[in-house]
Amino acid sequence: MRYKSRKYFIAGRINLIQRSKIRELFERASKMKNVISLGIGEPDFDTPQNIKEAAKRALDEGWTHYTPNAGIPEFREAIAEYYKNTYGIEIPMEKVIVTVGAYEATYLAFETLLEDGDEVIIPDPAFVCYVEDAKVAEAKSIRLPLKEENGFQPDPDELLELITKRTRMIVVNYPNNPTGATLDEETAKAIADIAQDYNIYILSDEPYEHFLYENAKHTPMLKYAPDNTVLANSFSKTFAMTGWRLGFTIAPEQIIRDMIKLHAYVIGNVASFIQIAGVAALREKESWDAVKQMRDTYAERRRIVLDYIKEMPYISAFEPKGAFYVFANIKETGMKSEEFAEWLLEKAGVVVIPGTAFGKNGEGYIRISYATKKNKLIEALERMKTALEEL
Ligand SMILES: Cc1ncc(COP(=O)(O)O)c(C=O)c1O
């Protein structure tokens, strides 16, 4: 039988997923002329040459087939070795799966560890994917407000108050997107203690671990709660490899075995030649020299943004020690975050992301990304300053 007009029946869970507000703003901006985007959340650098060469060589050497689902053993070993060399954390390669970026890593964590009615504590503001992952896993998101006066870190007492019998997981993401905040060792330990006491998983999403400024140190949650932590990490930011889609998860072996079941049928394995390039990224000096150069460049731009903001009326900034974002307070303008972002786009042709894209608690803030070339960044800041002075 043929239908006159076709109606597509779509599973309800898909309708629960909200398209990112960041995307909508980009779409509008792309139709306008002379717009500078400080909205982008990806490095403006090219992938280091040695990594590209390694991928090309791998193709020529025949790395064009399926690999084991969890990843090529040499790559899993290189990831384990990287944790040992960088943080002194010993991990057998059986605790590692190679994933399609941190996105897949977080998705696997939600799908493997949570089910209908389970509660997951997600900070507010937070990166956009966790709440959507929770919906697909049919888990309930409980938002933990992060406050500027606490350096956008969780208050352990407030965290404790949110814990119920159904709490299964807490999401931690430092250095943080959108706030640029880092996590103090004391707070990391407090979160670890709570997770251990209440038998809660910590999903720790750490793709910005190498972008730290003013002597800030990274606090990898694996160090503080190794048996409770599911780490999501990525090559996207560290090595400017967003388009390669390469990341990994580290978790207790039993969890990894279960994650592989899902990964095996959705992804199969991450592209083989890309995994070989990942080995080069981790083991070759040239890629780490490039990371240092990127960090130095971000550090200079961060200073420029913070100095400009000090000169602007109605706006102030928490001084972030990580990632490549500044989360600026715009409450004094009297505008809501979305209104401000729209006003700035119309008035100055500058894209920033409204804080509310990351949760209700982002109201009164905007996210400025400095993953933008210096001359464009300065021009955007000049335009912003003029617009605010005329307000
Ligand atoms: C905090 C955070 N987690 C995960 C991701 C996803 O990154 P990937 O490219 O590794 O999937 C991003 C990307 O912006 C991010 O900012």
Side-chain angles (χ1 to χ4, degrees):
M1 188 175 85
R2 263 202 191 172
Y3 291 102
K4 275 205 188 91
S5 68
R6 182 179 277 276
K7 186 167 180 344
Y8 294 97
F9 294 98
I10 304 293
R13 79 177 77 86
I14 291 302
N15 287 328
L16 296 175
I17 302 176
Q18 224 183 27
R19 281 198 76 206
S20 161
K21 284 187 188 156
I22 305 179
R23 233 166 248 254
E24 283 167 24
L25 204 78
F26 283 151
E27 276 165 20
R28 257 186 55 200
S30 70
K31 294 188 187 110
M32 292 169 64
K33 285 213 172 93
N34 195 21
V35 167
I36 302 177
S37 179
L38 304 183
I40 279 173
E42 69 170 321
D44 56 310
F45 303 103
D46 196 7
T47 304
Q49 194 58 33
N50 68 307
I51 303 175
K52 290 194 203 172
E53 295 302 334
K56 291 185 216 167
R57 257 193 331 269
L59 280 170
D60 288 340
E61 286 167 6
W63 288 97
T64 54
H65 297 271
Y66 288 134
T67 77
N69 296 125
I72 296 170
E74 187 191 356
F75 186 33
R76 294 168 81 196
E77 267 164 15
I79 292 167
E81 171 191 293
Y82 159 74
Y83 270 83
K84 180 152 189 265
N85 297 341
T86 314
Y87 301 113
I89 301 171
E90 297 244 15
I91 302 156
M93 77 162 196
E94 287 71 23
K95 288 189 167 184
V96 180
I97 326 179
V98 179
T99 60
V100 179
Y103 271 132
E104 196 217 345
T106 54
Y107 172 74
L108 288 182
F110 275 84
E111 287 296 313
T112 308
L113 303 175
L114 303 179
E115 59 189 15
D116 189 6
D118 285 342
E119 292 176 6
V120 49
I121 299 178
I122 300 176
D124 182 354
F127 181 57
V128 289
C129 74
Y130 317 124
V131 169
E132 308 307 322
D133 282 338
K135 289 177 192 166
V136 179
E138 298 182 88
K140 192 169 165 197
S141 296
I142 307 291
R143 303 303 296 262
L144 170 65
L146 299 181
K147 301 189 192 94
E148 189 175 347
E149 58 268 31
N150 293 342
F152 292 111
Q153 300 185 61
D155 175 329
D157 293 330
E158 287 178 21
L159 169 59
L160 267 176
E161 273 173 31
L162 295 182
I163 291 175
T164 71
K165 280 193 186 133
R166 296 306 306 261
T167 310
R168 266 284 153 79
M169 189 159 92
I170 167 165
V171 176
V172 176
N173 160 228
Y174 290 95
N176 184 261
N177 177 7
T179 62
T182 46
L183 190 65
D184 297 341
E185 186 161 38
E186 195 188 332
T187 315
K189 282 183 180 159
I191 296 170
D193 285 345
I194 293 171
Q196 283 157 347
D197 290 349
Y198 291 87
N199 197 20
I200 295 168
Y201 298 115
I202 301 169
L203 169 60
S204 190
D205 188 16
E206 304 179 14
Y208 297 93
E209 68 184 318
H210 289 286
F211 300 123
L212 292 165
Y213 316 104
E214 295 183 8
N215 301 319
K217 290 257 177 312
H218 183 50
T219 44
M221 288 309 301
L222 274 175
K223 186 166 156 188
Y224 305 102
D227 297 331
N228 296 61
T229 298
V230 175
L231 167 82
N233 209 337
S234 171
F235 284 57
S236 288
K237 319 284 162 158
T238 303
F239 301 107
M241 288 174 71
T242 45
W244 297 62
R245 312 306 306 127
L246 186 61
F248 57 92
T249 299
I250 297 177
E253 235 176 287
Q254 198 189 329
I255 295 177
I256 289 289
R257 276 201 296 272
D258 286 328
M259 282 179 161
I260 290 172
K261 291 183 196 163
L262 177 60
H263 171 84
Y265 287 122
V266 181
I267 304 297
N269 63 265
V270 169
S272 46
F273 57 97
I274 288 179
Q275 295 188 53
I276 295 295
V279 176
L282 290 176
R283 289 191 173 153
E284 291 178 9
K285 181 175 175 297
E286 204 178 326
S287 20
W288 290 109
D289 289 346
V291 173
K292 182 178 179 315
Q293 234 170 40
M294 289 189 254
R295 182 171 47 239
D296 290 348
T297 309
Y298 286 138
E300 185 197 0
R301 295 175 188 171
R302 167 185 172 274
R303 201 61 266 159
I304 292 172
V305 177
L306 292 174
D307 288 349
Y308 257 96
I309 287 179
K310 280 195 194 122
E311 300 296 313
M312 295 179 198
Y314 312 116
I315 182 168
S316 63
F318 154 79
E319 292 228 348
K321 294 273 171 62
F324 39 66
Y325 307 108
V326 169
F327 208 54
N329 185 326
I330 50 118
K331 290 176 187 168
E332 273 185 37
T333 62
M335 283 187 257
K336 299 267 186 199
S337 298
E338 282 185 37
E339 202 186 338
F340 183 93
E342 279 170 26
W343 168 79
L344 196 69
L345 179 61
E346 295 300 326
K347 170 108 179 148
V350 173
V351 178
V352 295
I353 307 297
T356 43
F358 308 99
K360 276 200 208 106
N361 224 42
E363 187 57 271
Y365 295 87
I366 51 160
R367 189 192 76 178
I368 296 170
S369 160
Y370 48 89
T372 309
K373 297 272 173 285
K374 187 172 157 185
N375 58 342
K376 289 232 162 184
L377 183 66
I378 292 176
E379 188 182 336
L381 292 164
E382 282 288 348
R383 289 190 198 177
M384 217 171 137
K385 186 166 173 254
T386 309
L388 279 162
E389 280 167 354
E390 288 171 5
L391 190 68

